[in-house]
Amino acid sequence: MSKAILDIAALHKSYGATPVLKGIDMAVNENELVFIIGPSGSGKSTLLRCCNRLEEPESGSILVDGTDILRPGVDLNRLRQKIGMVFQSFNLYPHMTALGNVTLALRKVQGMEKEAAEEKGRAALARVGLAEKVNAYPNELSGGQQQRVGIARSLALEPRIVLFDEPTSALDPELVGGVLKVMRELKESGMTMVVVSHEMAFARAAADRVIFMDKGVIADQGAPEDMFGNPKHERLREFLSRIQH
Amino acid sequence: MDAILQNFFNMEIASKAGVFLLKGLGMTLLLSAIVIPLGLLGGLAVAVLGSLKKKWLSVLLIVYVDFFRAFPPLVLLIFIYFGTPFLGLDIPKLLAVAIGFFLNTSSYYGEVFRAGIESIPKGQFEAARSTGLSGSQTLRFVILPQAVRNVLPDLISNTLEVIKLTSLASVVALPELLNNARQAQALTYNPTPIVLAALMYLVLLWPLVRLLSRLEHKSISMH
Amino acid sequence: MNPAMSGWDRFVFSFFNLDIARQYLPAIAKGFVTTVYLALAVIVAGVLLGLTLALLRSFRVKVANFFIIMFADIMRALPPLVLIILLFFALPYAGASLSAFAATWVALSLVLAAFAEEIFWAGIVAVPRGQWEAARSTGLSRAQTLAFVVLPQAVRMTIPPLTNRVISITKGTALGSVVALSEILNQASSSASQAGNATPMTVGALAYLLLFIPVVIFGRWVETRFVWKK
């Protein structure tokens, strides 16, 4: 239970002269669901994107399953398969079917045979409740279904951890539930997850720990019932009252 | 290196041929100044007539446009220039060239304007008509201003092509830039005048190419 | 020519003279083959070179991109006829001479490559950044992302403008007549002056329509089929 899948230490990142992350220390244990909240511009998305090196941090270290992903010469493309990423705007490939989206990396990075990749892809799509939609193109799917394909795309690679970058913010309210349900089931199956989101009710129900980020640092963290029920940090109280109105 | 300079950048020949080439450049500009406005007007007429949605008229216009888009402009030019004497007609060189280029150019501008008009949502027509504007007022004050803005890069791109097109007039010995450069080359047995003419085209057209690249990238980043 | 002919008869005699048409048809047919051959060679070389340059450009190496942009700018600013004449009449002074076919082919291919590079590049840039990020986050390399994710989408967007550009540049094969390449126009106009009659020009014109009308109609179809994604 205590093994850290993701271990971040003294992480710094700035855009030009503007510092965005000012020394982040954070560990995520196996099977843990960590929820990151905070005002826009607080650096939460940047933090997530650094964990996959979609952004390059300036200094610090990020260990994923014991491997330093910032070390020069690291096989980034192999490593990235251990770190699933789910995007706010889904970023499905519009010229491929749901199955094509899910199997591309299996075939091209892992070098799997077409049949084996497709079998795995179908299983991943079934896991997010889209067994019927394997041959649908993204523009034939609702936003919620597209996001579930996005989740299946990272699950198929059997990642050690999945990072969710505001997975429901681009969705119409009635479609949010389906995506959260999938995330819930994922958590129950033992997946390690880091979620940046404003879905407070979900955080309350499913998160093991809530991290509040503000101005590039981790300002406060704790169990959801403490963080939401009895917020001590002043900026957190301010943030929560703004979110709730 | 010396031989290259002697042959391709011969200062003496360049200074001798310079005035002659500038005269040619003047003719190139004159020809452009005739063909571009006429082509724009012709193209606008084609597009506006097409937007009337009269079936037979639209078919006729598509035939006109596709016919002259399929015809290489040089073939058109030579056909008009060498063909008309067989009809017993003797038309001035500049006129023959201008007619040929007009037919070609108006078709291309016509396609650009058509795309522009089609890019305007139907709601714009409806809103304008609902306030009592007539059909032609709607076109003039509401549709065309937006349409032109939407296809501005294509209009500029087409204009660039028209100016480059004028070099074809050298084939019928109209004394424009390329024609004069080739004459000077034949007289001096040295390609410097052609190199010089190429540089003049570059100086004239490069800013347009740059502007175009900028506009195109802007329109892409807006998507 | 009989001066007593009426205007209409004279027109038919000069432009639609079947005997003369029959006599010169083989020469123009030969020109037709040359034109088709040249056009195909230009399309293949121009599009491939353009695509290669656009792909190179996507690696964003400063020096390389400077030269690619320079090349594209120059080839788009110069009239193709000037380029053909430079290659055919000026290059021999540097000790290298090209045949009329080679000069026309090289010139038009370079021009098409420049336009194709710009079109492909615009397509690559138009693919949203999220597509790159999603592909890279699943472990695809830069080249794999380009090949399997970005390029298929970019090419789809580039098909209409590229088709139009290919049509307009392949029509430039007629420019080869200026350096005495025996393509359709050259065959037709020399036949016309030999016959003292404009009919071979009519036949040549019809040959061009036969060749390009289907292509223009194809271009229209492509335009409705693959609209630019807005």
Side-chain angles (χ1 to χ4, degrees), chain A residues 14-27:
Chain A
S14 48
Y15 293 120
T18 323
V20 191
L21 299 178
K22 299 184 268 194
I24 302 285
D25 296 288
M26 164 184 161

Side-chain angles (χ1 to χ4, degrees), chain C residues 57-116:
Chain C
R57 193 168 168 185
S58 75
F59 285 88
R60 297 180 194 268
V61 179
K62 273 224 168 76
V63 192
N65 283 11
F66 175 80
F67 283 108
I68 292 171
I69 292 169
M70 186 97 134
F71 164 80
D73 274 14
I74 291 175
M75 290 302 154
R76 288 188 301 158
L78 272 184
L81 185 56
V82 172
L83 205 58
I84 292 173
I85 286 175
L86 265 176
L87 288 177
F88 190 75
F89 291 109
L91 214 55
Y93 289 91
S97 61
L98 290 176
S99 69
F101 187 92
T104 314
W105 175 65
V106 170
L108 294 179
S109 299
L110 291 179
V111 173
L112 179 55
F115 281 101

Side-chain angles (χ1 to χ4, degrees), chain B residues 3-4 7-8 61-62 65-75 78-79 82-88 104 108 111 114 119 150 157 160-161 163-165 167-171 178 182 185 189-191 194-195 197-199 201-202 205-206 209-210 212-213 216-217 220 223, chain C residues 1 7 10-11 14-15 57 69 72-82 85-86 89-91 93-94 111 115 118 121-123 125-126 164-165 167-168 171-172 174-175 177-178 185 189 192 196-198 201-202 204-206 208-209 212-213 216-217 220 223 228-230:
Chain B
I4 287 179
N7 274 325
F8 294 99
L61 289 169
I62 287 184
V65 166
D66 280 1
F67 185 86
F68 288 108
R69 282 203 309 167
F71 228 76
L74 183 59
V75 180
I78 289 185
F79 207 79
F82 293 108
T84 42
F86 285 106
L87 290 176
N104 174 268
Y108 274 95
E111 276 297 284
R114 181 186 61 81
S119 73
N150 284 356
S157 159
L160 173 70
E161 292 306 310
I163 302 174
K164 282 158 47 177
L165 188 70
S167 65
L168 266 54
S170 65
V171 176
L178 179 59
R182 293 196 60 195
Q185 179 226 2
Y189 297 104
N190 184 296
I194 296 182
V195 174
L199 288 177
Y201 278 113
L202 280 184
L205 298 178
W206 188 68
V209 171
R210 275 289 92 218
L212 208 52
S213 282
E216 276 161 357
H217 282 283
I220 283 166
H223 287 170
Chain C
M1 214 183 289
R10 189 196 316 198
F11 174 71
S14 305
F15 287 90
R57 193 168 168 185
I69 292 169
D73 274 14
I74 291 175
M75 290 302 154
R76 288 188 301 158
L78 272 184
L81 185 56
V82 172
I85 286 175
L86 265 176
F89 291 109
L91 214 55
Y93 289 91
V111 173
F115 281 101
E118 284 296 304
W121 175 243
V125 175
N164 283 331
R165 193 52 76 175
I167 295 171
S168 75
K171 284 191 313 185
L175 302 179
S177 66
V178 175
L185 177 59
S189 58
N197 184 293
M201 283 301 301
T202 311
L206 290 175
Y208 275 112
L209 291 179
F212 284 112
I213 286 272
V216 168
I217 290 172
R220 266 192 197 284
E223 215 151 61
W228 270 88
K229 192 170 69 181
K230 285 256 158 101

Side-chain angles (χ1 to χ4, degrees), chain A:
Chain A
M1 186 60 203
S2 63
K3 189 186 168 205
I5 298 288
L6 178 67
D7 195 347
I8 300 172
L11 197 71
H12 284 83
K13 162 82 187 169
S14 48
Y15 293 120
T18 323
V20 191
L21 299 178
K22 299 184 268 194
I24 302 285
D25 296 288
M26 164 184 161
V28 179
N29 290 326
E30 194 159 15
N31 306 341
E32 201 182 10
L33 194 164
V34 171
F35 214 86
I36 304 181
I37 57 174
S40 68
S42 59
K44 43 194 201 311
S45 277
T46 306
L47 172 61
L48 217 55
R49 293 160 61 86
C50 281
C51 296
N52 197 307
R53 279 184 64 186
L54 288 173
E55 304 283 352
E56 292 291 344
E58 264 106 56
S59 63
S61 72
I62 302 175
L63 301 181
V64 174
D65 210 10
T67 313
D68 183 356
I69 68 165
L70 299 179
R71 198 188 41 172
V74 80
D75 184 353
L76 192 56
N77 295 332
R78 277 267 153 214
L79 261 177
R80 274 177 168 159
Q81 304 216 308
K82 288 190 181 178
I83 315 160
M85 180 98 189
V86 175
F87 298 88
Q88 179 178 358
S89 49
F90 330 138
N91 296 345
L92 295 190
Y93 315 134
H95 61 300
M96 292 180 185
T97 60
L99 190 59
N101 267 277
V102 176
T103 54
L104 182 69
L106 289 174
R107 294 179 56 195
K108 301 301 173 186
V109 186
Q110 299 190 352
M112 278 173 85
E113 291 296 327
K114 189 164 185 254
E115 288 73 32
E118 288 190 345
E119 195 181 318
K120 213 166 176 185
R122 277 175 213 281
L125 283 167
R127 202 166 158 192
V128 298
L130 291 174
E132 323 274 79
K133 299 286 185 185
V134 283
N135 292 319
Y137 283 89
N139 63 8
E140 299 162 348
L141 298 172
S142 74
Q145 290 171 330
Q146 289 191 47
Q147 189 58 296
R148 278 143 67 195
V149 175
I151 294 173
R153 180 168 64 186
S154 54
L155 288 185
L157 299 169
E158 296 174 0
R160 297 290 284 134
I161 181 169
V162 181
L163 313 171
F164 292 81
D165 188 4
E166 306 206 21
T168 55
S169 338
L171 294 176
D172 291 335
E174 76 272 21
L175 300 175
V176 170
V179 172
L180 294 182
K181 181 168 164 277
V182 167
M183 289 169 68
R184 190 74 177 261
E185 285 164 4
L186 208 53
K187 156 74 180 154
E188 277 154 18
S189 74
M191 180 61 76
T192 310
M193 300 157 75
V194 180
V195 181
V196 167
S197 168
H198 294 292
E199 301 290 342
M200 297 305 165
F202 178 73
R204 229 179 242 269
D208 296 303
R209 179 156 49 111
V210 174
I211 288 181
F212 173 61
M213 278 187 73
D214 188 38
K215 295 175 182 159
V217 296
I218 293 178
D220 197 7
Q221 57 179 311
E225 51 276 20
D226 296 335
M227 294 288 282
F228 297 131
N230 184 21
K232 293 185 188 66
H233 199 276
E234 193 191 331
R235 295 272 302 168
L236 173 60
R237 272 203 302 274
E238 222 175 89
F239 172 73
L240 289 175
S241 73
R242 247 183 300 136
I243 289 276
Q244 273 143 18
H245 296 121

Side-chain angles (χ1 to χ4, degrees), chain B residues 40-57:
Chain B
L40 279 169
L41 280 178
L44 194 58
V46 166
V48 167
L49 289 175
S51 75
L52 297 180
K53 303 276 174 223
K54 294 249 190 313
K55 193 89 191 161
W56 60 272
L57 188 60

